[in-house]
């Protein structure tokens, strides 16, 4: 079992799978073409096309078909025609299934994080010596609904994902007493840091080139998730992991879920307050990928200053901070916002001072391409935020300084590797059963008093020579 | 991403389980078929989309390839897999709903598995027969949650099921059947796919969705006498002639299984309703096979499982 589990997740296999996927897509195109050609030819080739069948089609077949065992072991072949002209068919590989292993296959090394809900520790697989992170699924034994859907989603989504910027789930293991499945652990690849801890400890902010590398990796991971209909719904710096080779990986899929298009009605109780998009704060239940992009904007700001960008004390205060930074919405900047449940009774200030963005002034050292990107990510109207793919193509990443090579990334002392981390003061992701905020009538008209007199960013930036 | 594929049973595992299981083959098949039918019936009463119920069918098949058939009451396993798939879908159902539906289906009032010609089919409805007392509900609920964990454990928490139904619809778009509307064939193909869920041959564990979809289309087209392309069109969908042939027969034989099942159940004294563990135990002892069934089953299943693992280890090594 042990060797099996290992080989299933080893990196070279993942690479092979990726390669196979690429080949598959190519083969698909080729085959469709070939299929058309074959169809035309078919009229001339009037040969017996019916598959062989047993004599009796109605009764149960007399004996089971035996499939040769090596079928499972064969690697996916390319779809191109073999040398003999016999078409080689694509093998779809889905693996097989079987019981979980026991957590006793791992030795705990140290706790990484003991948060409000979670428990993560560093551990070593006994047989291989491989270091992993063990994340224990939060289970409330009093919850008569059984295993929490959030945990099941987290596992399923991580199992389905395979991308260099998404943390890899190696397996799920359970406590030794399998008569009652209560202790469930996700075995994750171990990364030395999370971005939050690094930001808290670094004496100097990241260089622009480093910010770009991090953002690029983040956007590329999110593009992968969004392409596959996954919303993360809790992007924040403590959920972004970084290893000592400068690789960023998105973690903590406890809030994530698959969505269709159009997205179903969803709870607005997602995303940790400081990273929560305005449409969520205003009670939207139909939302999409843009809520993740808002969080990316918040993370962008945090990478630049080492401080969370919008630290509201509660929902109303968070919205206030957002409006202070981005300006209050108008019919023009966000045509549909008045239709959101919590927006109907809002009293908002008007006038140019209130509706303009203060992002340029808040980040005087950021280039105009950088400001443009941040501004678009923090667009109040979700429709106007870029997709992750659009973000990757943004001018900001092509300008000098270029994104730093991952291998050249500085290393940081790893807290996860050594000691128990202290608990942080960041608010937590909303818990199940919590009530969504209902503001009633809130008056925001006062938030900009005095702003007119403030020095506003005038569309230029100071250049450090 | 593996949205289009399923984890499959290795041929060895299938072979081992069926040959070295504690129960005679035909009993295994009867239990399997009846329980899958029960799941389908419950899915309908719970107003779940067929896609959700179908996933439960597939999870149940996988589960029983890993865990002993006799370890839990069959209807409980059915309920737990359905509860789990519904929970993971946009259509969750409460333990209370499941309790009510299964109590009804297992009651004498239910028409489940009673011959349609039975005389008192409709005036037999006796609500007190499927009234669920609070104690009964609590007991069901506790069993449901324990089994949910057990199913997840047995499947390594992989609840992903790719269904062939949408593929069949897509594939049909790419095919031309002269003179027959595609909807006719599509409808029939979906029927074949749903019937295949019930087959004790566990077709969803031996074949990937693309193959199932093509086999269903093939059968559907043949049924309505549609003229199929004369080339080996299944190759366009990456399906081999040999596997297609196997599935075509397998799908066509589900009806036969159904008839046989009813006879087998009758022979065991289950005239109507769901087969239970007690029926199987009685049947085993009638055949002189099943004294102290609980322990014996466990021991034999355990032996079979260990052989499975040995085979796996050999596969990996080789
Ligand atoms: N694979 C990993 N390698 C190293 N550290 C990790 C790993 N996964 C998580 N951690 C650490 O544990 C912390 C909590 O993990 P995660 O966010 O997944 O759990 P959580 O219980 O959902 O957290 P919370 O509810 O506090 O957001 C992370 O911020 C990170 O510091
Ligand atoms: Mg977290």
């Amino acid at each position: 079992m042990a060797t099996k589990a290992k080989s299933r997740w080893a990196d070279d296999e993942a690479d092979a799978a990726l390669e196979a996927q690429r080949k598959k897509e190519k083969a698909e195109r080729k085959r469709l073409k070939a299929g058309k050609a074959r169809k035309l030819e078919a009229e001339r080739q009037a040969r017996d096309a019916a598959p062989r069948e047993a004599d009796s089609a109605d009764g149960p077949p007399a004996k089971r078909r035996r499939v040769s065992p090596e079928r499972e072991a064969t690697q996916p072949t390319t779809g191109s025609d073999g040398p003999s002209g016999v078409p080689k068919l694509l093998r779809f590989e889905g693996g097989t299934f079987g019981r979980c292993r026991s957590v006793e296959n791992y030795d705990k090394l140290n706790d990484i994080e003991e948060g409000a809900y979670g428990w993560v520790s560093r551990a070593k697989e006994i047989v291989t010596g491989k270091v992993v992170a063990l994340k224990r699924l939060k289970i409330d034994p009093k919850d008569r609904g059984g295993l929490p859907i959030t945990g099941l989603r987290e596992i399923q989504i991580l199992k389905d994902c395979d991308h260099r910027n998404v943390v890899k789930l190696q397996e799920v293991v359970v406590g030794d007493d399998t008569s009652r499945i209560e202790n469930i652990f996700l075995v994750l690849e171990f990364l030395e840091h999370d971005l939050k801890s690094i930001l808290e400890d670094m004496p100097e902010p990241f260089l622009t080139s480093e910010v770009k590398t991090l953002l690029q990796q983040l956007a590329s991971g999110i593009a992968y998730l969004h392409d596959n209909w996954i919303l993360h719904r809790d992007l924040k710096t403590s959920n972004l992991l970084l290893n000592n080779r400068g690789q960023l990986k998105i973690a903590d899929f406890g809030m994530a879920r698959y969505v269709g298009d159009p997205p179903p009605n969803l709870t607005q109780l997602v995303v940790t307050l400081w990273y929560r998009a305005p449409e969520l704060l205003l009670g939207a239940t139909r939302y999409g990928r843009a809520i993740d992009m808002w969080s990316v904007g918040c993370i962008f700001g945090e990478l630049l200053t080492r401080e969370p960008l919008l630290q509201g004390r509660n929902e109303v205060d968070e919205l206030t901070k957002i409006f202070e930074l981005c300006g209050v919405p108008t019919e023009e900047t966000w045509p549909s916002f008045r239709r959101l449940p919590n927006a109907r009774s809002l009293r908002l200030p008007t006038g140019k001072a209130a509706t303009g963005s203060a992002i340029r002034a808040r980040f005087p050292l950021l280039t105009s391409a950088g400001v443009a990107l941040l501004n678009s990510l923090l667009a109040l109207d979700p429709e106007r935020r870029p997709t992750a793919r659009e973000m990757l193509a943004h001018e900001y990443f092509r300008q000098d300084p270029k994104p730093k090579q991952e291998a050249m990334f500085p290393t940081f002392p790893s807290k996860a590797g050594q000691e128990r981390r202290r608990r942080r003061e960041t608010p937590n992701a909303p818990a199940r059963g919590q009530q969504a905020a209902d503001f009633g009538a809130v008056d925001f008209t006062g938030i900009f008093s005095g702003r007119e007199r403030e020095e506003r960013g005038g569309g230029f930036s100071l250049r450090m020579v | 991403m593996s949205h289009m594929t399923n984890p499959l049973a290795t041929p060895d595992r299938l072979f081992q389980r069926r040959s070295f299981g504690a129960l005679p083959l035909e009993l295994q098949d009867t239990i399997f078929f009846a329980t899958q039918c029960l799941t389908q019936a419950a899915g309908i009463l719970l107003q779940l989309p067929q896609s959700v119920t179908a996933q439960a069918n597939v999870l149940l098949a996988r589960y029983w390839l890993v865990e002993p058939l006799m370890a839990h009451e069959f209807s409980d396993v059915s309920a737990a897999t359905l509860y789990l798939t519904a929970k993971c879908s946009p259509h969750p159902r409460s333990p209370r709903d499941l309790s009510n539906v299964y109590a009804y289906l297992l009651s004498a009032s239910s028409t489940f598995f009673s011959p349609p010609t039975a005389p008192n089919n409709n005036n037999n409805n006796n609500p007190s027969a499927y009234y669920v007392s609070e104690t009964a509900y609590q007991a069901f609920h506790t069993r449901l949650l324990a089994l949910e964990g057990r199913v997840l454990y047995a499947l390594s928490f992989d609840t992903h099921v790719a269904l062939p139904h949408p593929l069949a619809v897509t594939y049909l778009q790419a095919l031309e059947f002269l003179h027959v509307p595609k909807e006719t064939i599509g409808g029939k193909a979906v029927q074949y796919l749903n019937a295949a869920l019930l087959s004790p041959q566990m077709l969803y564990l031996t074949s990937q969705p693309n193959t199932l979809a093509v086999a269903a289309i093939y059968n559907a087209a043949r049924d309505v006498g549609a003229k199929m392309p004369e080339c080996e069109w299944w190759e366009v969908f990456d399906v081999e002639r040999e596997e297609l042939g196997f599935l075509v027969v397998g799908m066509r034989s589900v009806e036969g299984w159904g008839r046989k099942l009813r006879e087998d159940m009758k022979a065991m004294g289950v005239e109507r309703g769901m087969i239970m563990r007690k029926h199987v135990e009685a049947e085993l002892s009638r055949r002189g096979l099943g004294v102290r069934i609980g322990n014996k089953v466990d021991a034999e299943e355990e032996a079979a499982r260990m052989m499975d693992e040995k085979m796996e280890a050999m596969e990996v090594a080789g």
Side-chain angles (χ1 to χ4, degrees):
Chain A
M1 280 307 264
T3 42
K4 178 141 202 165
K6 187 192 154 234
S7 74
R8 188 142 60 107
W9 291 100
D11 270 353
D12 47 348
E13 290 234 350
D15 290 344
L18 212 73
E19 175 68 10
Q21 169 76 15
R22 231 175 287 128
K23 276 187 183 160
K24 182 184 127 188
E25 278 161 10
K26 206 169 136 203
E28 194 92 72
R29 286 193 293 276
K30 212 168 165 183
R31 212 178 20 265
L32 283 177
K33 249 196 207 159
K36 261 188 212 146
R38 263 203 295 272
K39 223 177 190 176
L40 288 173
E41 223 185 69
E43 262 137 54
R44 281 182 290 119
Q45 291 185 0
R47 62 183 167 204
D48 178 22
R52 251 171 289 132
E53 288 174 32
D55 294 333
S56 133
D58 292 329
K63 69 174 200 263
R64 288 198 60 79
R65 178 190 56 159
R66 279 284 288 163
V67 189
S68 51
E70 61 267 28
R71 274 189 45 167
E72 252 63 24
T74 48
Q75 285 293 312
T77 53
T78 66
S80 57
D81 288 5
S84 57
V86 181
K88 277 201 187 145
L89 304 182
L90 185 71
R91 272 270 169 269
F92 290 100
E93 295 291 326
T96 186
F97 46 87
R99 286 182 185 149
C100 290
R101 297 202 303 157
S102 159
V103 70
E104 302 299 327
N105 288 292
Y106 294 88
D107 264 342
K108 182 168 140 179
L109 299 174
N110 59 274
D111 284 336
I112 299 174
E113 166 95 16
E114 207 164 355
Y117 312 113
W119 176 97
V120 180
S121 68
R122 195 168 71 112
K124 194 166 85 178
E125 187 178 15
I126 294 168
V127 180
T128 60
K130 187 171 179 192
V131 173
V132 297
L134 284 185
K135 174 172 174 175
R136 185 178 181 160
L137 211 68
K138 308 150 196 169
I139 295 178
D140 179 1
K142 290 194 292 294
D143 181 355
R144 296 293 280 162
L147 297 177
I149 180 60
T150 50
L152 298 181
R153 281 197 193 124
E154 176 168 23
I155 291 172
Q156 196 57 58
I157 288 176
L158 282 173
K159 270 181 190 276
D160 292 345
C161 283
D162 180 14
H163 189 268
R164 66 190 302 276
N165 300 117
V166 176
V167 71
K168 282 210 178 20
L169 175 68
Q170 300 189 4
E171 62 173 326
V172 180
V173 293
V174 296
D176 242 4
D177 176 12
T178 55
S179 62
R180 317 166 64 187
I181 303 301
E182 286 170 341
N183 297 314
I184 301 165
F185 304 85
L186 280 62
V187 181
L188 301 159
E189 65 175 315
F190 175 78
L191 283 89
E192 287 83 355
H193 319 277
D194 68 67
L195 265 186
K196 173 97 186 147
S197 310
I198 292 183
L199 287 167
E200 276 172 351
D201 293 346
M202 62 197 308
E204 294 292 324
F206 282 117
L207 300 174
T208 303
S209 60
E210 293 163 355
V211 170
K212 285 185 185 178
T213 310
L214 294 171
L215 280 180
Q216 217 170 23
Q217 296 187 64
L218 174 59
S220 133
I222 296 172
Y224 173 81
L225 297 176
H226 287 181
D227 283 351
N228 288 292
W229 306 97
I230 297 164
L231 295 189
H232 185 281
R233 305 200 302 180
D234 197 17
L235 291 171
K236 54 178 170 179
T237 45
S238 64
N239 288 341
L240 302 179
L241 306 175
L242 192 69
N243 67 18
N244 274 336
R245 280 155 287 145
Q247 243 183 29
L248 176 148
K249 294 186 195 245
I250 302 170
D252 194 352
F253 284 69
M255 288 270 147
R257 63 168 293 171
Y258 281 105
V259 290
D261 193 19
N265 272 346
L266 301 163
T267 170
Q268 69 265 40
L269 266 179
V270 288
V271 193
T272 304
L273 186 61
W274 295 348
Y275 304 81
R276 201 179 299 165
E279 64 269 27
L280 292 172
L281 290 161
L282 291 172
T285 53
R286 295 202 152 239
Y287 54 81
R289 299 165 167 93
I291 64 153
D292 282 343
M293 300 316 292
W294 176 273
S295 305
V296 173
C298 299
I299 292 164
F300 189 178
E302 189 169 340
L303 288 176
L304 295 171
T305 63
R306 289 172 292 165
E307 276 281 302
L309 182 62
L310 296 160
Q311 305 185 34
R313 292 183 305 273
N314 50 46
E315 272 94 345
V316 173
D317 191 41
E318 182 69 19
L319 210 50
T320 308
K321 296 231 153 51
I322 290 173
F323 291 164
E324 280 171 351
L325 182 67
C326 308
V328 295
T330 63
E331 270 307 305
E332 209 163 74
T333 57
W334 189 2
S336 59
F337 99 97
R338 275 290 174 194
R339 290 198 289 277
L340 292 173
N342 288 343
R344 296 201 182 97
S345 49
L346 293 190
R347 282 173 34 90
L348 295 174
T350 48
K352 199 158 180 325
T355 57
S357 157
I359 287 177
R360 147 65 62 226
R362 181 98 168 247
F363 299 95
L365 298 183
L366 194 58
T367 62
S368 22
V371 170
L373 176 58
L374 185 53
N375 248 324
S376 63
L377 289 166
L378 295 180
L380 292 171
D381 182 356
E383 300 282 322
R384 297 189 189 184
R385 285 171 222 149
T387 65
R389 296 240 166 259
E390 284 163 359
M391 175 174 168
L392 282 171
H394 198 274
E395 174 69 16
Y396 178 60
F397 296 107
R398 273 171 298 160
Q399 280 183 350
D400 284 333
K402 294 267 170 15
K404 193 177 221 166
Q405 280 181 16
E406 285 165 23
M408 307 296 284
F409 223 79
T411 57
F412 306 88
S414 167
K415 284 205 215 164
Q418 300 308 322
E419 73 223 10
R420 190 189 202 119
R421 263 178 224 168
R422 63 195 140 96
R423 285 189 46 181
R424 314 191 191 85
E425 320 89 78
T426 319
N428 289 310
R432 282 201 298 164
Q434 209 167 300
Q435 284 294 306
D438 175 9
F439 309 161
V442 184
D443 188 350
F444 286 95
T445 48
I447 64 176
F448 292 111
S449 46
R451 183 165 170 180
E452 286 83 352
R453 271 166 280 124
E454 254 172 44
E455 185 108 61
R456 301 276 314 273
F460 61 91
S461 70
L462 290 174
R463 285 211 177 268
M464 309 287 279
V465 189
Chain B
M1 286 277 160
S2 53
H3 288 310
M4 310 285 272
T5 57
N6 282 320
L8 295 184
T10 61
D12 291 300
R13 166 162 253 156
L14 270 173
F15 180 73
Q16 298 269 330
R17 179 128 309 259
R18 292 179 62 84
S19 316
F20 299 103
L23 300 179
L25 259 183
E26 78 275 11
L27 277 181
Q28 292 183 36
D29 291 347
T30 304
I31 295 166
F32 184 93
F33 194 99
T35 312
Q36 296 290 31
C37 291
L38 180 70
T39 306
Q40 279 289 330
I44 291 167
L45 290 185
L46 286 163
Q47 298 189 310
L48 287 167
Q50 169 63 4
S51 61
V52 175
T53 312
Q55 290 183 41
N57 284 137
V58 177
L59 283 193
L60 185 139
R62 288 182 196 164
Y63 169 78
W64 265 343
L65 219 52
V66 178
E67 297 275 296
L69 271 171
M70 293 292 281
H72 302 273
E73 191 54 78
F74 316 132
S75 58
D76 285 343
V77 182
S78 164
T81 47
L82 195 56
Y83 176 65
L84 178 61
T85 16
K87 183 198 268 192
C88 294
S89 82
H91 313 275
R93 293 293 181 264
S94 69
R96 177 73 71 179
D97 289 342
L98 275 121
S99 163
N100 290 338
V101 160
Y102 277 86
Y104 171 74
L105 285 172
L106 298 180
S107 75
S109 295
S110 158
T111 52
F112 180 68
F113 272 139
S114 61
T117 50
N120 53 354
N121 233 347
N122 280 327
N123 44 30
N124 196 29
N125 194 350
N126 174 14
S128 69
Y130 50 92
Y131 166 77
V132 184
S133 74
E134 193 53 27
T135 353
Y137 167 65
Q138 289 302 339
F140 172 86
H141 193 169
T142 303
R143 294 199 307 275
L144 186 73
L145 299 193
L147 254 172
E148 177 192 39
R150 190 74 199 177
V151 169
L152 285 165
Y153 160 68
L155 302 179
S156 285
F157 286 79
D158 197 344
T159 51
H160 166 82
V161 176
L163 291 176
H165 303 60
L167 280 182
V169 175
T170 312
Y171 289 179
L172 268 176
Q173 300 310 313
L175 292 165
E176 284 301 333
F177 297 98
L178 297 175
H179 314 310
V180 183
K182 281 179 184 167
E183 300 75 63
T184 316
I185 299 178
K188 274 205 168 291
V190 166
Q191 280 173 19
Y192 270 109
L193 290 176
N194 286 335
L197 290 164
L198 314 173
S199 167
Q201 286 183 290
M202 293 179 263
L203 303 176
Y204 280 69
L205 304 195
T206 63
S207 297
Q208 291 293 359
N210 66 315
T211 315
L212 291 164
V214 167
I217 292 175
Y218 183 95
N219 272 332
R222 218 179 66 170
D223 282 357
V224 299
K227 198 164 147 24
M228 284 181 249
E230 278 172 17
C231 60
E232 309 212 333
W233 56 273
W234 44 86
E235 285 183 355
V236 177
F237 306 109
D238 293 305
V239 175
E240 277 174 1
R241 173 194 283 259
E242 185 208 5
E243 193 174 6
L244 177 60
F246 168 75
L247 278 181
V248 162
V249 178
M251 284 183 178
R252 291 193 158 271
S253 57
V254 177
E255 240 185 285
W257 285 106
R259 271 197 305 275
K260 185 170 170 304
L261 161 82
R262 201 157 280 162
E263 282 156 23
D264 286 356
M265 285 188 24
K266 222 185 245 161
M268 287 168 63
V270 189
E271 284 287 340
R272 51 183 300 140
M274 176 64 188
I275 185 170
M276 315 253 278
R277 272 194 304 183
K278 62 179 184 208
H279 301 128
V280 176
E281 282 168 12
E283 175 67 14
L284 285 177
S285 62
R286 202 174 59 80
R287 298 189 194 181
L289 284 171
V291 223
R292 289 179 53 233
I293 184 74
N295 296 336
K296 186 159 178 282
V297 167
D298 284 351
E300 288 193 26
E301 296 278 352
E302 187 59 24
R305 195 177 62 79
M306 278 166 64
M307 286 187 75
D308 282 0
E309 282 176 7
K310 221 181 264 163
M311 294 297 290
E312 269 173 30
M314 278 159 60
E315 270 171 43
V316 170

